[in-house]
Amino acid sequence: MTADLIVCGLGPAGRALAHRCLAHGMSVTAIDPVPDRPWSATYAGWYDELPGWLDPSVIATTVQYPTAWGTRSHRLDRTYVVFDSARLRDSLNLDGAQIVADRVAEIRHNTVTLASETIFGAKRVIDARGIARSPELAEQTAYGMVARRDADIEPLFMDWRLDNGAEPDAPRSFLYAVPLSAETMLLEETCLAGRPALDTAVLRDRLHHRLRSRGIELTGTEPIERVRFPVQGGHPGQRRFGAAGAFTHPATGYSVTASLAAADTVARDASAWPARARAVHALRSAGLRALLALPPADLPVFFDAFFTLPPELQRAYLSGRTDLGGTVAAMRTLFTALPAPLRRRVATATLGIPIRSPIRIGSSMME
C-alpha cells in the first residue's frame, strides 16, 4: 500500500503532522509501538507561538506575566500557556489515517520496514520518533510534584535562587512552577541542560528542601513527574520532524509549540529549514555551549542579563526559529550586557574554543 505520507512516531510532533496532513486531504499511515498511549507529560509554551488552527480548548491555564528569577525578580511581558495534555492529544485526531501499532526497524527513502518485517511505502516518509539518549548528548532533567494551588507560591517560569540546599559550587537547577488547573500547580526542580544532567533523585531532594525553606507543606501523596530528554541531537531536514528534526531549542528544551507551528508547512512539503533557520539553529547550539560552560555562580547573573533584554529580543531568541536578524541582535545585546568577567568565557564557549586556565572552574551544567 502506498500513502501520501508515513509518519513514524505519534508524540506531539508526529501526531500534529499527521493531523494536519489529513486536514489537507492527504492519505496518511501513522506508525507507533503504542499509538493509543496517553500523554502524561506536561507541555507548555508561549501563546504567541500557537498556530491558528489549534483548538483553544487545549489550553488548560494561562499565565499573563510569568516571573523569572536570576539574582532578582523579572516580570516577563509575554503570555505563557500550559496545555491539557489529554485534550491536546485528542484534538489532534487521526480520523481517516491508517494506524499501525508496531516498532519501526528501518526507514529508507520511501519505505518503512517494521519489527514484524511488514513493509509500508509512501510518497514521503517522515521520522518523528524523537532522539535516543546518549552520553554524548546534553540532556534536560526535572523532578516535579503536582500540589494544591493553595500553596503560597506564584507562577515561576524560572527561579535560580539558591534555597534548594545545593552547595554554591554545585551544578545549578531552578524551580519551575506553573498552574495546571484551578486547583493544582506543578512544582518542578529542573536541570536546564547537562552532560551528564543532574539525576532526578538529586532534583527530588533539592525540590523538597526548597519547598520546606519557603514554608510550603506537602501531603506526601502528590503525583510525581520525572523528566529526562536530550536537548540536542536532532538533524534539520525534510525527512525528520519534532525533536528528531531539530525542532528542540538547544538552550531551553522547548519543542512542542515550534512543532505545532511548523506542522502545516511540513504537511505542504514546503521547507521548514530555509537557510536562515539553519543559521538560527547553529547560533542556538552555540548558546547551549555557552550555558554548559558557565560556572555555577555566574548562571543567575547570565539570566538576569537575558531577562532584562527588550521583550522583542527575548522573543526572538526563545521563539524566532527563522528570525536570524532577531537572534543575532539578541545574542549581541546579551553579550554586551554581561559583566566583563563573563564575556570571555561566553565568547570562547560560543565559538567552541577550549578555555585554558591553571584553575579548574566547575561548570554549572556539568559539561
Side-chain angles (χ1 to χ4, degrees):
M1 296 180 63
T2 301
D4 291 322
L5 177 74
I6 294 176
V7 176
C8 302
L10 286 176
R15 195 174 181 95
L17 177 58
H19 172 76
R20 294 313 297 165
C21 287
L22 289 165
H24 287 283
M26 302 176 195
S27 57
V28 175
T29 298
I31 303 170
D32 190 279
V34 190
D36 295 326
R37 70 187 183 279
W39 292 354
S40 57
T42 301
Y43 301 119
W46 302 106
Y47 179 79
D48 53 35
E49 286 187 328
L50 303 182
W53 55 261
L54 190 67
D55 184 349
S57 71
V58 304
I59 298 174
T61 60
T62 300
V63 182
Q64 293 292 346
Y65 299 103
T67 297
W69 273 85
T71 64
R72 61 186 187 276
S73 177
H74 306 269
R75 192 180 86 152
L76 308 187
D77 188 16
R78 200 173 180 194
T79 301
Y80 191 73
V81 297
V82 181
F83 295 114
D84 181 314
S85 297
R87 195 172 294 169
L88 175 63
R89 181 191 178 281
D90 291 345
S91 76
L92 303 174
N93 72 77
L94 301 183
D95 296 344
Q98 180 183 19
I99 310 297
V100 180
D102 204 339
R103 182 178 61 81
V104 172
E106 183 181 43
I107 298 176
R108 293 195 175 181
H109 184 65
N110 291 106
T111 63
V112 176
T113 303
L114 306 184
S116 62
E117 300 185 354
T118 305
I119 299 176
F120 287 89
K123 296 175 183 176
R124 284 196 293 156
V125 177
I126 294 183
D127 187 357
R129 291 175 296 168
I131 305 169
R133 292 184 57 203
S134 167
E136 298 178 357
L137 300 178
E139 291 186 317
Q140 183 170 122
T141 53
Y143 180 92
M145 295 184 293
V146 180
R148 291 183 56 85
R149 260 189 99 169
D150 57 10
D152 185 20
I153 190 167
E154 63 177 331
L156 294 164
F157 176 67
M158 182 180 284
D159 185 350
W160 292 99
R161 285 176 287 182
L162 197 60
D163 60 349
N164 58 4
E167 295 296 326
D169 59 348
R172 290 292 177 99
S173 58
F174 66 87
L175 177 64
Y176 172 73
V178 292
L180 301 181
S181 69
E183 296 81 27
T184 59
M185 174 171 275
L186 175 66
L187 308 174
E188 198 157 77
E189 193 75 17
T190 304
C191 172
L192 183 60
R195 193 190 295 122
L198 287 168
D199 189 78
T200 54
V202 173
L203 296 171
R204 176 199 61 207
D205 294 343
R206 289 187 179 186
L207 178 62
H208 289 166
H209 190 285
R210 191 190 295 272
L211 298 182
R212 284 196 304 270
S213 71
R214 300 188 185 187
I216 298 171
E217 297 183 1
L218 302 172
T219 66
T221 61
E222 289 80 9
I224 302 300
E225 177 174 89
R226 293 178 177 86
V227 175
R228 181 181 291 273
F229 63 88
V231 295
Q232 58 181 173
H235 301 284
Q238 294 291 92
R239 301 180 61 80
R240 299 180 182 88
F241 190 59
F247 280 79
T248 300
H249 196 307
T252 69
Y254 279 67
S255 68
V256 172
T257 50
S259 298
L260 291 172
D264 263 347
T265 298
V266 177
R268 293 192 300 267
D269 202 15
S271 176
W273 286 101
R276 62 184 182 278
R278 292 175 181 270
V280 167
H281 179 68
L283 289 172
R284 289 176 169 184
S285 297
L288 173 62
R289 290 197 298 272
L291 283 174
L292 290 169
L294 287 177
D298 289 339
L299 199 59
V301 178
F302 177 90
F303 279 101
D304 278 339
F306 180 82
F307 289 121
T308 54
L309 293 178
E312 63 272 15
L313 294 186
Q314 294 182 38
R315 185 177 296 109
Y317 185 75
L318 294 175
S319 303
R321 201 178 66 82
T322 62
D323 185 1
L324 178 58
T327 301
V328 169
M331 295 180 76
R332 181 177 61 243
T333 306
L334 174 62
F335 181 77
T336 59
L338 291 172
L342 264 180
R343 292 180 189 171
R344 175 177 173 268
R345 191 168 185 90
V346 168
T348 53
T350 299
L351 296 172
I353 301 171
I355 298 174
R356 302 185 183 279
S357 171
I359 302 173
R360 175 63 178 169
I361 303 176
S363 164
S364 64
M365 298 296 188
M366 303 179 73
E367 169 70 341

